[in-house]
């Protein structure tokens, strides 16, 4: 089916299964097909919605960079929810999609049953914003001028080699998918969304106000995300954080069984009403709880 964004861009949407809705938000190097291991796992109990973000065919590919931004990506996701008739959904996002999920949780909490935010954090640590933006702009230029070479370099990146070593066949499929994307769409996504999105460090107040259940997931070898996820865990009282050992950035494909288990357990706890935010007694009491002035232990 097709969802139409506010500016008329058409977004390719696929819906599988019945039950509570899960909206999957893909990463820069993937597309709607990247969630196949999750759709197969969850569609017997949930209505799984995947879509190709603007810039990723068969969705529309606006030629102007001004048609791409973090806020536009958020509103595109809302347009998809509206198109499938979902008042709310559990959001599952990887990397670029994880950033989108966080912004949806801030701006539209009533549309979010929960947020699973995986592999999100690049450029979010204070002092790293400039370096990340420069890399994103350089990558955008590479995809414009020599997309085949840029795709190969990106697929062999320091947080992708873990997938390549664990599952060479799966990694080759991932790399081929990246190479097949529209060069204009990739370049504009890098330059318009990635390089210009607001730093999470500057959104601490807004993130702290998010009360919907949050599951943070990261690989322990995804260096660009670890400090950012620690910051998110310390900021968001409704968040839990799972770290997968010897794992890079492409978490849902690199470790599909463990990723599915984590998300399934998370959604089950929410469904039966047993999910709880961080207990207030674990917050702001020093290291061992002996800070003067704290109320007496009950």
């Amino acid at each position: 089916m097709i969802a139409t964004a506010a500016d008329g861009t058409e977004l390719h949407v696929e819906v599988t299964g019945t039950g509570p809705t899960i909206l999957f938000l893909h990463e820069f190097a993937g597309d709607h097909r990247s969630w196949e291991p999750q759709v197969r796992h969850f569609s017997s109990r949930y209505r799984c919605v995947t879509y190709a973000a603007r810039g990723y065919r068969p969705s529309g590919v606006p030629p102007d960079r001004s048609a791409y931004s973090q806020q536009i990506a958020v509103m595109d996701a809302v347009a998809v929810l509206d198109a499938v008739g979902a008042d709310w959904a559990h959001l599952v996002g990887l990397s670029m999609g994880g950033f989108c999920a966080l912004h949806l949780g801030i701006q539209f909490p009533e549309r979010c049953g929960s947020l699973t935010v995986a592999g999100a954090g690049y450029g979010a640590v204070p002092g790293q914003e400039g370096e990340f933006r420069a890399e994103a702009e350089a990558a955008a230029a590479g995809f414009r001028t020599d997309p085949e070479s840029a795709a190969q370099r990106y697929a062999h990146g320091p947080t992708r080699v873990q997938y390549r070593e664990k599952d060479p066949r799966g990694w080759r499929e991932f790399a081929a998918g990246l190479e097949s994307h529209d060069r204009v769409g990739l370049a504009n996504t890098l330059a318009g969304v990635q390089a210009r999105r607001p730093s999470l460090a500057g959104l601490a107040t807004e993130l702290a106000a998010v009360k919907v259940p949050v599951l943070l997931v990261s690989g322990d070898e995804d260096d660009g995300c670890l400090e950012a996820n620690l910051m998110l865990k310390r900021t968001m009282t409704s968040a839990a954080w799972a770290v997968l050992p010897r794992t890079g950035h492409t978490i849902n494909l690199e470790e599909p069984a463990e990723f599915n288990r984590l998300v399934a357990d998370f959604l089950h706890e929410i469904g039966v009403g047993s999910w709880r935010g961080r207990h207030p007694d674990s917050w702001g009491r020093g290291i061992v709880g002996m800070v003067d002035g704290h109320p007496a232990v009950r």
Side-chain angles (χ1 to χ4, degrees):
M1 66 178 295
I2 298 296
T4 303
D7 65 353
T9 300
E10 293 189 339
L11 304 171
H12 174 80
V13 182
E14 297 183 2
V15 181
T16 309
T18 59
T21 301
I22 302 177
L23 177 64
F24 293 96
L25 305 158
H26 69 78
E27 65 146 326
F28 166 77
D31 61 21
H32 59 293
R33 298 167 296 180
S34 304
W35 295 110
E36 188 61 27
Q38 285 66 55
V39 172
R40 290 180 179 179
H41 182 81
F42 287 100
S43 58
S44 63
R45 291 159 290 160
Y46 296 88
R47 182 171 65 146
C48 296
V49 179
T50 61
Y51 72 100
R54 67 173 58 217
Y56 295 78
R57 299 196 185 280
S59 290
V61 182
D64 195 319
R65 185 170 74 170
S66 65
Y68 299 75
S69 72
Q70 182 66 77
Q71 186 58 30
I72 290 171
V74 169
M75 298 313 299
D76 284 355
V78 172
V80 172
L81 288 176
D82 291 342
V84 300
D87 292 333
W88 63 273
H90 297 293
L91 307 183
V92 178
L94 176 66
S95 191
M96 179 177 78
F99 277 92
C100 187
L102 285 171
H103 282 273
L104 278 158
I106 290 171
Q107 298 180 41
F108 300 98
E110 73 282 0
R111 305 298 296 267
C112 306
S114 68
L115 311 176
T116 297
V117 180
Y122 287 8
V125 177
Q128 293 181 355
E129 300 98 323
E131 179 183 359
F132 174 75
R133 288 172 182 166
E135 284 198 28
E137 291 283 4
F143 278 106
R144 283 193 189 94
T145 59
D146 189 356
E148 183 175 347
S149 175
Q152 283 295 312
R153 291 184 65 183
Y154 205 97
H156 285 276
T159 63
R160 307 288 183 170
V161 296
Q162 297 81 1
Y163 185 24
R164 185 189 69 196
E165 297 303 302
K166 290 179 185 177
D167 181 6
R169 183 181 179 90
W171 176 86
R172 285 194 296 271
E173 184 177 279
F174 152 77
L178 172 58
E179 192 171 331
S180 72
H181 292 329
D182 187 285
R183 70 166 72 185
V184 172
L186 291 178
N188 284 340
T189 298
L190 278 165
V193 181
Q194 307 274 65
R196 300 187 177 191
R197 65 191 174 205
S199 171
L200 295 180
L203 297 172
T205 300
E206 293 86 346
L207 289 166
V210 172
K211 301 306 176 187
V212 299
V214 178
L215 175 64
L216 306 170
V217 187
S218 57
D220 67 342
E221 295 182 11
D222 194 2
D223 290 339
C225 291
L226 294 177
E227 291 181 53
N229 275 264
L230 180 58
M231 179 273 291
L232 290 171
K233 171 61 182 173
R234 287 172 167 166
T235 302
M236 306 177 78
T237 60
S238 63
W241 183 21
V243 181
L244 278 62
R246 302 186 66 185
T247 299
H249 193 62
T250 324
I251 308 172
N252 70 301
L253 297 177
E254 185 181 332
E255 294 289 350
E258 181 63 11
F259 185 85
N260 291 347
R261 184 193 67 78
L262 287 167
V263 176
D265 288 350
F266 174 55
L267 297 183
H268 174 74
E269 286 193 50
I270 294 169
V272 300
S274 63
W275 179 265
R276 298 288 184 271
R278 186 167 181 174
H279 196 285
D281 283 355
S282 73
W283 194 270
R285 297 179 58 198
I287 296 173
V288 298
M290 302 296 288
V291 175
D292 289 340
H294 191 272
V297 176
R298 293 183 293 277

